[in-house]
C-alpha cells in the first residue's frame, strides 16, 4: 500500500468533520424552512449508522419484540422493506400480536374453528357495490387473472364486513375498503387483514366512520393551517381562489391508497402511518404540497386548474425506490413534532371534539398494554353501542329506562372527556418543559403522575365498550 493510499481515508475523514462542524444549526426562526434539510440529514444519518443491514435489524426487532426499534425502522429510510417483514411486523405495531400465535411465520392463517357468524350490517349493500368496482394494486402479484381478482374482491368484502359486524356502531365510508385492501394484499388472508383493519378503524379513522364526515372536514381545515405556516404562498393562492381542501379528502380517507399507483409506495406510507398519530396523514398532505409548491404556483390561476393540479400530486411523485416519499414522510414527521394536533387546533381556531380520535389518541392508543394486546376494548370511548361523536337529543319527560340509558351514556362520555383532558394536559406540560429546557426529571414526573391519575379514572369508572 502506498503512502497516498494510506492518507486518502484520513483526508476524507477530516473533510467530513470539517463539514459537520461548519454546518449551522437551524434557529427557531428558520425551523419551517429547515424541515427538508432535517429530513435529508436524518435519512443519511440513519443509513450511515446502520452497521448491520436494515433487513437484519428488522428481523432482530421482530424476534425480540423490540417495538421502539421497530417503530424507528418503520418511520425512517426504506421502512420495513418487504411484504414478508410487514406480515410479521404490522401485527406487533397494530397491537394484535396475540393473533400471531395462530399464524404461520409467513402470515397465512392456520385452519381453525370458524367464528360465530355475526348479523349483517346496514351498510353492507354499499360495501358490495364498492368491492365490485375495486381493482387490485398494479404492482402486486395478485393481479394475475380475472378469477384471482374476483377471489380477492370476495375476500375484501369479508374483511370490511367483518369489521362492521364486529363493531356495529361504526359506519362505512367509501374509501375504507381501499384501506382494507392494502392489509389484505399484505397479509394474503382475511383474518389478519380484518384484525389490522379493525385496529385502524377504531383508533385511526374512527372520526370518518361516524354518521357524517364533519370531523374529517375539520381535519382538512387543519391542513390549511399547516400550509399557512410551511407554504404561505400556496396558502395565499388557495385562499385567493377560494379552493376548498376537498382535493385531499381521498388522501385522508384512504391513506393515499386511492391516489398512489405503486403498491410498494403505498406499503411504505402505511409503515409510517401505523406508528404515527391519526392526524399524521394531514401533515403528510402538507409536506407533499410543500415539496411540489413550484408546480402549484406555476399553474394558471384558475380554480379548476389549481384543484386538478393538487388532486393529482400523489401520482406525480417519483416512486422509484420510494425516495421522494421517504423525504415527504420525514418532512411530515418534523411538522407533527413542531405543530402537534392540540397546538394546530389552537392556531387555526378549529377544534375537534374531545372524543375525536385525534384528541383521544394519547388517552387510548398509547395506553394499550403491549403485554396484553387484546385489552384495548375498555379504552375505546364507546358507550351503549353508539359512536362517541353521535349527538343524542335530550330525552323527553317520562322516557323511563331510555332516559336513564341516555343519561348514563352522557355521564360516561363526560368522564372519558375528563380523562382525555388530563392526558392531553400532561402531554402539553411535558412539551412545554422540554421546549423551555426545564429539567427532564420534572417533566417526566409531572407527565407520569397525570397519566397514572388518568389511568386510575379509567379503571375506576370501568366504561363499557
Amino acid at each position: 500500500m502506498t503512502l497516498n493510499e494510506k492518507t486518502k481515508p484520513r483526508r476524507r475523514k477530516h473533510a467530513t468533520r470539517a463539514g459537520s462542524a461548519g454546518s449551522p444549526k437551524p434557529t427557531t426562526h428558520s425551523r419551517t424552512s429547515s424541515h427538508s434539510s432535517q429530513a435529508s440529514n436524518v435519512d443519511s444519518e440513519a443509513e450511515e449508522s446502520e452497521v448491520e443491514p436494515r433487513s437484519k435489524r428488522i428481523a432482530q426487532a421482530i424476534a425480540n419484540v423490540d417495538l421502539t426499534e421497530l417503530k424507528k425502522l418503520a418511520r425512517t429510510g426504506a421502512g420495513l422493506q418487504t411484504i414478508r417483514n410487514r406480515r410479521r411486523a404490522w401485527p406487533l405495531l397494530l397491537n394484535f400480536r396475540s393473533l400471531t400465535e395462530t399464524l404461520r411465520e409467513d402470515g397465512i392463517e392456520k385452519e381453525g374453528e370458524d367464528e360465530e357468524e355475526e348479523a349483517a350490517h346496514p351498510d353492507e349493500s354499499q360495501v358490495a357495490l364498492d368491492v365490485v368496482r375495486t381493482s387490485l394494486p398494479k404492482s402486486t402479484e395478485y393481479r394475475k387473472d380475472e378469477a384471482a381478482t374476483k377471489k380477492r374482491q370476495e375476500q375484501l368484502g369479508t374483511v370490511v364486513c367483518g369489521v362492521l359486524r364486529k363493531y356495529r356502531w361504526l359506519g362505512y365510508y367509501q374509501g375504507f375498503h381501499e384501506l382494507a385492501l392494502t392489509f389484505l394484499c399484505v397479509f394474503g388472508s382475511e383474518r389478519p387483514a380484518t384484525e389490522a383493519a379493525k385496529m385502524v378503524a377504531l383508533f385511526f379513522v374512527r372520526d370518518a366512520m361516524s354518521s357524517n364526515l364533519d370531523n374529517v372536514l375539520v381535519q382538512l381545515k387543519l391542513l390549511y393551517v399547516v400550509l399557512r405556516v410551511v407554504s404561505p404562498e400556496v396558502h395565499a393562492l388557495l385562499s385567493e381562489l377560494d379552493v376548498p381542501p376537498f382535493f385531499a379528502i381521498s388522501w385522508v380517507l384512504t391513506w393515499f391508497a386511492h391516489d398512489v399507483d405503486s403498491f410498494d409506495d403505498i406499503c411504505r406510507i402505511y409503515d409510517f402511518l401505523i406508528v404515527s398519530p391519526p392526524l399524521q396523514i394531514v401533515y403528510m398532505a402538507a409536506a407533499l404540497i410543500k415539496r411540489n409548491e413550484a408546480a402549484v404556483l406555476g399553474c394558471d390561476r384558475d380554480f379548476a386548474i389549481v384543484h386538478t393540479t393538487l388532486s393529482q400530486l400523489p401520482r406525480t411523485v417519483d416512486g422509484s425506490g420510494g425516495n421522494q416519499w421517504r423525504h415527504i414522510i420525514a418532512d411530515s414527521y418534523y411538522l407533527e413534532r413542531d405543530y402537534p394536533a392540540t397546538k394546530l387546533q389552537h392556531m387555526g381556531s378549529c377544534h375537534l371534539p374531545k372524543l375525536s380520535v385525534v384528541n383521544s389518541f394519547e388517552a387510548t392508543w398509547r395506553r394499550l398494554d403491549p403485554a396484553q394486546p387484546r385489552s384495548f376494548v375498555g379504552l375505546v370511548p364507546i358507550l351503549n353501542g353508539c359512536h362517541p361523536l353521535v349527538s343524542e337529543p335530550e330525552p323527553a319527560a317520562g322516557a323511563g329506562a331510555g332516559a336513564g340509558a341516555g343519561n348514563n351514556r352522557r355521564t360516561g362520555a363526560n368522564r372519558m372527556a375528563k380523562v382525555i383532558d388530563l392526558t392531553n394536559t400532561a402531554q402539553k406540560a411535558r412539551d412545554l418543559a422540554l421546549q423551555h429546557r426545564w429539567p427532564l426529571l420534572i417533566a417526566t414526573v409531572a407527565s407520569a403522575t397525570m397519566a397514572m391519575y388518568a389511568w386510575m379514572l379509567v379503571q375506576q369508572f370501568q366504561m363499557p365498550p
Side-chain angles (χ1 to χ4, degrees), residues 57 61-62 64-76 80 92-93 97 275 370:
R57 294 174 62 199
I62 294 172
N64 298 332
V65 196
D66 187 348
L67 296 183
T68 301
E69 176 68 8
L70 204 54
K71 290 177 181 179
K72 178 182 177 182
L73 291 165
R75 277 196 302 263
T76 60
L80 300 177
L92 302 176
L93 297 174
R97 97 177 75 144
V275 297

Side-chain angles (χ1 to χ4, degrees), residues 278-291:
L279 201 63
Q280 191 69 55
I281 185 65
V282 171
Y283 298 100
M284 276 197 72
L288 172 64
I289 296 172
K290 172 63 178 176
R291 284 266 170 181

Side-chain angles (χ1 to χ4, degrees), residues 101 104 127 284 421 439:
E101 298 174 1
R104 298 195 191 101
V127 173
M284 276 197 72
D421 277 343

Side-chain angles (χ1 to χ4, degrees), residues 234-257:
V234 171
H235 181 268
L237 173 64
L238 299 180
S239 300
E240 176 188 338
L241 299 178
D242 199 19
V243 179
F246 298 148
F247 59 85
I249 193 165
S250 63
W251 307 355
V252 172
L253 293 179
T254 70
W255 286 4
F256 287 110

